[in-house]
Amino acid sequence: MRRPAHHRPHAKQGVVKGMVGKLAIGVIVLLICTLSLLFSATLGGGRGSTSPSEINVEKLWESADSGGWRPSSAPRSDWPSPPRESNGYLRVRCNGGLNQQRSAICNAVLAARIMNATLVLPELDANSFWHDDSGFQGIYDVEHFIQTLQYDVRIVESIPEIRKNGKTKKIKAYQMRPSRDAPISWYTTDALKKMKEHGAIYLTPFSHRLAEEIDNAEYQRLRCRVNYHALRFKPHIVKLSESIVEKLRNQGHFMSIHLRFEMDMLAFAGCLDIFTPEEQSILKKYRKENFAEKILVYKERRAIGKCPLTPEEVGLILRAMGFDNSTRIYLAAGELFGGERFMKPFRALFPHLENHSSVDPSEELAANTQGLLGSAVDYMVCLLSDIFMPTYDGPSNFANNLLGHRLYYGFRTTLRPDRKGLAPIFIDRENGQTAGFEEAVRRVMLKTNFGGPHKRVSPESFYTNSWPECFCQMNPKNAADKCPPDNVIDTLHSQLESEWESFTQTNLTSVAEG
């Protein structure tokens, strides 16, 4: 039955409204897509991308856009020199690899400042990890370390002997074990109490034993002063590293890669299925002996990006980004697990692979390839390279500190693969779905940061990204970001001299009155 005619105008109006509504939705969708494309095209710090899936490789050889920021770890508020009298001595034993040791040293200096303690030169637990007993004095410039931090903490090479009741004896440090990421309050209460009781405390092990996120920008800047200014390798290590860089650069740009495809990391990650039964047995044994028992399913770990990239995957990422087989690559890595069969596909893609032994086959390096010296040289070469790429950048990894150092060193380009984003793309490729592989890889890589200033978001470590605390702006919109005077060290030195003069004058007056 036909509806009455007087209803037809309303029906027409409904049709018109529906068309207008659909048109409006269409416009909104089009606008969102346009904005999304524009946003994708500008990701990566404005590094010259011309479309959502194109990367300008030539731009990547340059440092990232600083956005008007520059590194600065100088104090920006009142920062008094250490008092003449300290509360006691602080000893620490820094365990782990080079990265863990560096962050532990930074934490030790900060802990000493917090407690007004005299820091004893940190001990490096080299034997258990490196089978290397060179220690702090073996790789770092001790005199430079002490002098650079003279306005922050008092440092001695060992606990001095004291004379009491006519006898000379050494203060015995009270041993304590801080909890992981212990708060500042633990140091100002428990630790300080024992220090005052015994005259010295010994914190061991000391890796990740002070909270990273501290709501005090001056404390964070002190960490940066230690990490990027005070911790300088010994002159012969710097010279050896610079010699390697010079040889590599004589042939043009070069990239460094930290290839974390080693037994300890693979066992920790639980990534076993790509290995032979014999190799899996070795990894399982290592995991049982060194890590907490936990059931890990390889396919699940792989799907969420928890496995280190294989050498071939690294090569495929670089090829997809546009790097050709003339690219020179310096490899910073320990002994690769699985041997040459994993390196062969990578070498086929990028034949110009080097390491510190191949560039500089000196006896000194040959004898210390796996020790602290070899790691220190790798660190320096990676720091100075045009591009750096970590294949596994966990919080306790060699790459962690390097990423932060390169950021501080002038926003030098880093390629940080998003393993979680890349995992399904590689899995599809292994299952025969190769169409659009390279474009998919580029899209993921374009969403990563190429080394410019960016907000630190958990779980990113402060040692990976000390922006904005350890940076300042020449023309700031916010007064808090303004750069301090360039002569800040002179200012601190004058302040220290003034305090010494005041202290000396007070003592002379007391003697005269006495």
Side-chain angles (χ1 to χ4, degrees):
M1 182 176 171
R2 183 176 288 181
R3 291 182 179 179
H6 62 271
H7 286 292
R8 286 180 186 173
H10 294 284
K12 286 180 181 178
Q13 289 173 11
V15 170
V16 172
K17 287 180 180 177
M19 289 175 67
V20 170
K22 288 179 181 178
L23 184 61
I25 292 170
V27 170
I28 292 170
V29 170
L30 182 63
L31 181 62
I32 290 171
C33 289
T34 303
L35 289 172
S36 178
L37 287 172
L38 287 171
F39 177 71
S40 297
T42 56
L43 280 170
R47 306 304 289 275
S49 300
T50 55
S51 81
S53 61
E54 288 184 18
I55 295 173
N56 189 328
V57 169
E58 289 306 311
K59 284 282 186 182
L60 291 177
W61 291 113
E62 304 168 7
S63 293
D65 182 6
S66 70
W69 293 87
R70 71 171 177 83
S72 173
S73 55
R76 295 174 211 174
S77 58
D78 183 44
W79 187 256
S81 299
R84 280 285 299 156
E85 297 296 325
S86 75
N87 288 319
Y89 293 93
L90 172 64
R91 280 181 63 198
V92 298
R93 182 174 63 85
C94 308
N95 57 306
L98 187 70
N99 168 74
Q100 287 170 283
Q101 291 174 358
R102 286 184 74 98
S103 57
I105 293 165
C106 297
N107 287 343
V109 172
L110 179 54
R113 174 77 188 196
I114 290 166
M115 294 190 291
N116 180 28
T118 298
L119 178 67
V120 181
L121 205 64
E123 301 166 22
L124 305 187
D125 179 27
N127 283 315
S128 63
F129 193 90
W130 299 106
H131 306 291
D132 179 336
D133 60 0
S134 53
F136 193 102
Q137 294 92 332
I139 63 167
Y140 292 113
D141 186 333
V142 173
E143 186 179 342
H144 176 79
F145 181 74
I146 295 173
Q147 187 175 359
T148 302
L149 296 171
Q150 63 181 306
Y151 311 110
D152 302 302
V153 292
R154 235 176 342 286
I155 303 171
V156 294
E157 294 196 39
S158 61
I159 296 178
E161 293 181 333
I162 59 169
R163 191 162 182 79
K164 192 173 182 181
N165 300 326
K167 296 180 180 179
T168 301
K169 66 174 185 176
K170 198 167 187 176
I171 300 172
K172 188 176 180 181
Y174 180 82
Q175 187 169 319
M176 302 181 77
R177 186 187 180 100
S179 63
R180 187 180 175 90
D181 299 320
I184 287 177
S185 58
W186 183 84
Y187 288 88
T188 56
T189 53
D190 297 35
L192 185 57
K193 181 183 177 184
K194 292 298 181 184
M195 180 178 284
K196 288 180 175 179
E197 282 179 17
H198 299 272
I201 58 172
Y202 182 33
L203 306 184
T204 177
F206 196 74
S207 175
H208 306 293
R209 301 294 161 169
L210 176 58
E212 277 192 20
E213 292 301 330
I214 296 175
D215 191 22
N216 184 320
E218 293 299 3
Y219 284 173
Q220 299 293 56
R221 282 191 273 272
L222 173 56
R223 278 172 160 158
C224 290
R225 288 200 291 284
V226 180
N227 209 2
Y228 309 134
H229 297 278
L231 275 177
R232 187 168 73 185
F233 293 119
K234 291 178 78 71
H236 76 282
I237 295 176
V238 174
K239 187 177 179 180
L240 183 57
S241 306
E242 289 176 343
S243 170
I244 291 174
V245 170
E246 185 180 354
K247 288 176 183 176
L248 290 166
R249 231 180 233 131
N250 281 341
Q251 301 180 54
H253 292 300
F254 79 96
M255 173 192 303
S256 61
I257 295 178
H258 183 227
L259 202 54
R260 195 69 167 96
F261 200 70
E262 298 151 337
M263 181 169 63
D264 63 330
M265 183 51 67
L266 290 163
F268 171 77
C271 301
L272 313 180
D273 288 24
I274 58 175
F275 298 100
T276 65
E278 292 78 15
E279 289 167 343
Q280 288 188 33
S281 177
I282 293 169
L283 290 172
K284 286 176 182 176
K285 182 175 182 292
Y286 187 91
R287 178 170 178 80
K288 186 176 182 180
E289 292 173 352
N290 293 278
F291 304 113
E293 189 174 344
K294 190 177 182 181
I295 297 173
L296 300 175
V297 181
Y298 169 72
K299 287 185 178 178
E300 293 175 1
R301 302 287 288 173
R302 175 86 190 285
I304 58 174
K306 292 296 183 181
C307 291
L309 294 171
T310 67
E312 182 181 20
E313 287 171 344
V314 174
L316 291 170
I317 291 169
L318 293 177
R319 269 299 178 85
M321 292 181 71
F323 292 97
D324 61 32
N325 63 2
S326 68
T327 306
R328 298 188 66 77
I329 297 175
Y330 178 89
L331 291 179
E335 185 177 350
L336 264 64
F337 192 75
E340 183 58 24
R341 81 174 188 276
F342 284 100
M343 279 302 297
K344 199 171 180 180
F346 187 24
R347 192 172 282 108
L349 291 167
F350 293 94
H352 299 289
L353 299 179
E354 305 278 7
N355 59 31
H356 56 227
S357 298
S358 66
V359 181
D360 190 318
S362 62
E363 288 185 15
E364 184 180 19
L365 265 177
N368 293 278
T369 298
Q370 300 301 322
L372 278 172
L373 173 65
S375 187
V377 169
D378 276 347
Y379 186 96
M380 282 296 296
V381 175
C382 290
L383 174 63
L384 298 171
S385 64
D386 300 298
I387 296 174
F388 172 63
M389 180 181 182
T391 60
Y392 194 90
D393 52 345
S396 296
N397 195 265
F398 174 90
N400 187 42
N401 227 310
L402 260 169
L403 290 166
H405 206 154
R406 285 178 65 86
L407 193 76
Y408 192 86
Y409 200 69
F411 304 105
R412 300 173 78 83
T413 300
T414 57
L415 308 178
R416 297 178 68 181
D418 175 3
R419 295 190 307 280
K420 187 175 181 179
L422 291 166
I425 301 170
F426 281 117
I427 291 170
D428 285 346
R429 181 180 179 275
E430 289 159 16
N431 292 330
Q433 300 174 37
T434 57
F437 169 77
E438 290 198 342
E439 184 177 351
V441 169
R442 286 193 293 272
R443 285 183 182 276
V444 171
M445 290 304 296
L446 275 165
K447 293 176 184 176
T448 63
N449 182 277
F450 289 143
H454 61 281
K455 184 176 174 61
R456 184 170 67 252
V457 178
S458 181
E460 189 175 35
S461 162
F462 173 80
Y463 293 104
T464 298
N465 180 11
S466 59
W467 186 87
E469 294 96 332
C470 296
F471 294 82
C472 64
Q473 277 192 311
M474 283 76 84
N475 300 301
K477 294 178 182 177
N478 185 346
D481 297 328
K482 184 179 179 181
C483 288
D486 287 334
N487 65 341
V488 67
I489 297 300
D490 292 336
T491 304
L492 288 172
H493 182 69
S494 298
Q495 182 177 312
L496 182 63
E497 283 190 332
S498 176
E499 289 172 5
W500 271 95
E501 286 175 11
S502 175
F503 174 81
T504 304
Q505 189 60 46
T506 302
N507 276 5
L508 288 172
T509 304
S510 299
V511 170
E513 290 175 351

